């Protein structure tokens, strides 16, 4: 297998027969860059490597990847890395010797500090995620479920939608992971059947005592604090949960408990503490 690195900007055109474009046959990473330095870079590289191994795609050279963040310059940026199997094959059947395609893009970024401070309202989505353990945890390019879920509301009050799997178990938000405090213990949904294993989630699991659990959405009636977060936006305290019809079902008041865990997450990202 070989790799097409793209042009110097990483934004070279992608042909119509690219398998990532045609079938979602690839992976991506979105990395926070602060003054040219990537945040949680090893966690991103590790997830990308797991995805390449599981999909049998040639992993990009780390020397090439390591050089990308410095192109951002000063300030906050988001680096999006896309790796596809390349072109060719017969229908869904991949080519015997694929030429992996790598593309990237850098964009200026400003986090939603109001959501750090004031918390957010989230809605339970009607859409349920399909279970496919071979893809569980990966940030693969086929995100149609997330696209459909995000179409369930057009209200700016709603910051995110929460997703369950086809068995009714809580999994994640549309582009964030879930965390909650219950009976004095931090918990996060287990992601062995579907969902994206976020890099902030991985760093928090490595640093703090936290259980990976499988529960239906009813567990949120018994939690003392709820957060959603990822490695770009940071951690947002949830103050209100609505059902799929838009009716409030749970509310939380932001407390020191919320701020303590939020500050731990923000410490990993280089974001300010809200304590």
């Amino acid at each position: 297998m070989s790799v097409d690195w793209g042009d110097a900007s990483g934004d070279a055109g992608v042909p119509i027969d690219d398998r990532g474009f045609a079938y979602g046959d690839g992976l991506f990473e979105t990395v926070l860059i602060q003054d040219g330095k990537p945040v949680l870079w090893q966690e991103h590289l590790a997830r990308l490597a797991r995805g390449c191994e599981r999909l049998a795609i040639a992993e990009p050279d780390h020397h090439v990847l390591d050089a990308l963040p410095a192109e951002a310059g000063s300030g906050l940026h988001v680096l999006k890395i896309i790796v596809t199997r390349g072109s060719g094959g017969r229908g869904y059947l991949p080519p015997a010797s694929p030429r992996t395609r790598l593309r990237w893009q850098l964009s200026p970024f400003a986090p939603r500090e109001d959501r750090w401070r004031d918390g957010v309202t989230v809605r339970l989505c009607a859409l349920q995620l399909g279970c496919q353990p071979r893809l569980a945890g990966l940030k693969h390019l086929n995100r149609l479920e997330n696209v459909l879920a995000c179409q369930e509301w057009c209200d700016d009050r709603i910051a995110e939608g929460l997703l369950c799997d086809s068995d009714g178990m809580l999994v994640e938000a549309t582009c964030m992971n879930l965390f909650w405090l219950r009976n004095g213990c931090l918990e996060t949904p287990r992601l062995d059947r579907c969902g994206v294993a976020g890099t902030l989630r991985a760093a928090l699991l490595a640093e703090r005592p936290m259980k990976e659990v499988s529960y239906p959405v009813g567990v949120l009636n018994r939690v003392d604090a709820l957060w959603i977060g990822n490695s770009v936006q940071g951690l947002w305290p949830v103050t209100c949960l609505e059902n799929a019809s838009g009716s409030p079902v749970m509310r939380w008041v932001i407390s020191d408990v919320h701020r303590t865990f939020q500050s731990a997450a923000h410490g990993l990202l280089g974001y300010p503490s809200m304590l």
Side-chain angles (χ1 to χ4, degrees):
M1 292 186 288
S2 59
V3 180
D4 168 16
W5 301 121
D7 66 7
S9 70
D11 199 21
V14 174
I16 196 169
D17 66 348
D18 179 84
R19 296 183 63 84
F21 177 76
Y23 308 124
D25 188 5
L27 304 153
F28 72 106
E29 294 288 331
T30 47
V31 186
L32 181 66
I33 309 296
Q34 295 187 7
D35 297 325
K37 297 181 180 180
V39 177
L40 299 183
W41 187 232
Q42 294 308 312
E43 286 83 355
H44 283 286
L45 292 178
R47 182 173 61 185
L48 183 62
R50 288 195 302 272
C52 286
E53 180 181 14
R54 211 176 302 176
L55 297 184
I57 292 176
E59 185 181 350
D61 190 314
H62 280 204
H63 290 97
V64 174
L65 295 177
D66 286 342
L68 300 182
E71 297 187 20
S74 61
L76 286 179
H77 292 77
V78 169
L79 169 65
K80 184 167 186 177
I81 300 169
I82 298 177
V83 177
T84 79
R85 197 182 302 274
S87 300
R90 188 176 70 252
Y92 294 137
L93 181 67
S97 300
R99 183 175 175 81
T100 302
R101 185 167 282 121
L102 170 67
R103 295 292 185 268
W104 64 91
Q105 184 180 56
L106 279 160
S107 304
F109 175 70
R112 292 292 303 268
E113 296 187 28
D114 58 324
R115 292 180 172 178
W116 294 346
R117 181 185 65 247
D118 303 329
V120 296
T121 295
V122 299
R123 179 173 294 189
L124 183 66
C125 293
L127 181 137
Q128 294 181 315
L129 297 172
C131 295
Q132 177 47 265
R134 286 189 65 178
L135 297 178
L138 304 186
K139 201 163 186 178
H140 56 74
L141 290 175
N142 193 331
R143 312 263 37 119
L144 269 179
E145 292 174 322
N146 306 69
V147 171
L148 291 173
C150 285
Q151 292 177 340
E152 292 187 19
W153 72 90
C154 57
D155 185 342
D156 290 341
R157 295 182 311 103
I158 309 301
E160 256 285 20
L162 305 192
L163 293 164
C164 295
D165 65 20
S166 54
D167 291 328
M169 298 297 176
L170 272 171
V171 179
E172 61 188 359
T174 65
C175 63
M176 292 179 155
N177 288 125
L178 292 172
F179 309 90
W180 59 75
L181 184 74
R182 186 174 67 94
N183 297 330
C185 296
L186 286 168
E187 298 177 335
T188 189
R190 185 174 290 115
L191 301 176
D192 56 349
R193 302 201 304 165
C194 57
V196 176
T199 54
L200 176 59
R201 176 183 181 274
L204 286 167
L205 280 167
E207 182 185 83
R208 304 180 73 82
M210 189 184 313
K211 294 181 181 179
E212 297 179 88
V213 297
S214 295
Y215 284 114
V217 70
V219 72
L220 299 183
N221 295 326
R222 305 188 300 276
V223 306
D224 299 312
L226 176 65
W227 304 263
I228 55 176
N230 63 30
S231 63
V232 172
Q233 291 289 355
L235 209 64
W236 297 343
V238 176
T239 58
C240 181
L241 169 65
E242 296 183 355
N243 62 23
S245 300
S247 299
V249 293
M250 283 294 295
R251 295 186 186 275
W252 295 268
V253 175
I254 296 177
S255 67
D256 288 346
V257 168
H258 290 87
R259 296 307 189 199
T260 298
F261 186 53
Q262 184 185 46
S263 292
H266 284 198
L268 293 167
L269 301 176
Y271 282 154
S273 168
M274 304 304 291
L275 280 171

